[in-house]
Amino acid sequence: MPPFLLDDATLDQAGGLLARLREAGLRVVTAESCTGGLVAAALTHHAGSSDVVEGGFVTYSNAMKTVLLGVDPVVVARHGAVSAETAAAMADGALAHAPSADIAVSITGIAGPGGGSAAKPVGLVWFATARRNGETVTLSRVFDGDRTSVRQQAVAQALNLIGQRVRSS
């Protein structure tokens, strides 16, 4: 049986983030590719999360990024699915399609074991956070480890980034 991807530390991190979102009166939406909805799962693991979690989009394919989030296919063609530009477009699209959300986080990356290149190695993950009526911020990380580890680390990083946007409100 595969390991459960959301460990107690991640679930505790998500619970603390929910409390901060609640205290700030903010709602969040997720747009996930390589994490396959794990950020939304971590947040909604906790009872009562519906007061701050608007929802989530799992857009694993490029077509779904376009259809569900409105990501311009030219952006993906020019920069690739794993890029700052695509991550930003995903976060912006999530906010545009979730009118009650205040903060969006997006994740797109190469969890492995295949799919990497010299320019975009396995473990490369791009994140973006967007605030309604605010700027969109991107960040990349290259995580070590196998597919499970990369995805776990990406979830923790995404939760951290949402927390940073809550503090900046």
Side-chain angles (χ1 to χ4, degrees):
M1 178 158 192
F4 189 60
L5 294 173
L6 298 174
D7 59 17
D8 288 339
T10 302
L11 294 174
D12 288 347
Q13 179 186 10
L17 176 58
L18 289 171
R20 291 198 313 274
L21 286 162
R22 202 170 282 119
E23 185 177 297
L26 299 171
R27 294 181 62 80
V28 66
V29 63
T30 64
E32 303 179 63
S33 186
C34 66
T35 50
L38 290 172
V39 175
L43 292 168
T44 60
H45 168 80
H46 299 277
S49 59
S50 62
D51 63 345
V52 295
V53 177
E54 182 70 15
F57 298 90
V58 176
T59 57
Y60 209 70
S61 72
N62 293 343
M64 291 301 282
K65 288 173 181 62
T66 297
V67 171
L68 291 180
L69 299 174
V71 174
D72 187 339
V74 173
V75 170
V76 177
R78 182 172 295 142
H79 302 284
V82 181
S83 65
E85 293 82 3
T86 297
M90 289 171 64
D92 292 343
L95 271 185
H97 290 87
S100 296
D102 304 291
I103 299 173
V105 65
S106 69
I107 306 168
T108 183
I110 305 166
S117 67
K120 293 183 180 183
V122 169
L124 173 65
V125 180
W126 274 98
F127 302 86
T129 55
R131 283 291 304 259
R132 191 158 309 281
N133 302 319
E135 68 178 329
T136 300
V137 178
T138 60
L139 171 80
S140 70
R141 292 281 187 261
V142 178
F143 298 114
D144 290 328
D146 64 9
R147 180 178 182 80
T148 297
S149 178
V150 167
R151 295 174 77 202
Q152 288 171 331
Q153 292 171 81
V155 170
Q157 180 67 60
L159 295 172
N160 282 334
L161 293 172
I162 296 167
Q164 289 173 12
R165 294 310 293 262
V166 171
R167 284 188 295 276
S168 70
S169 62

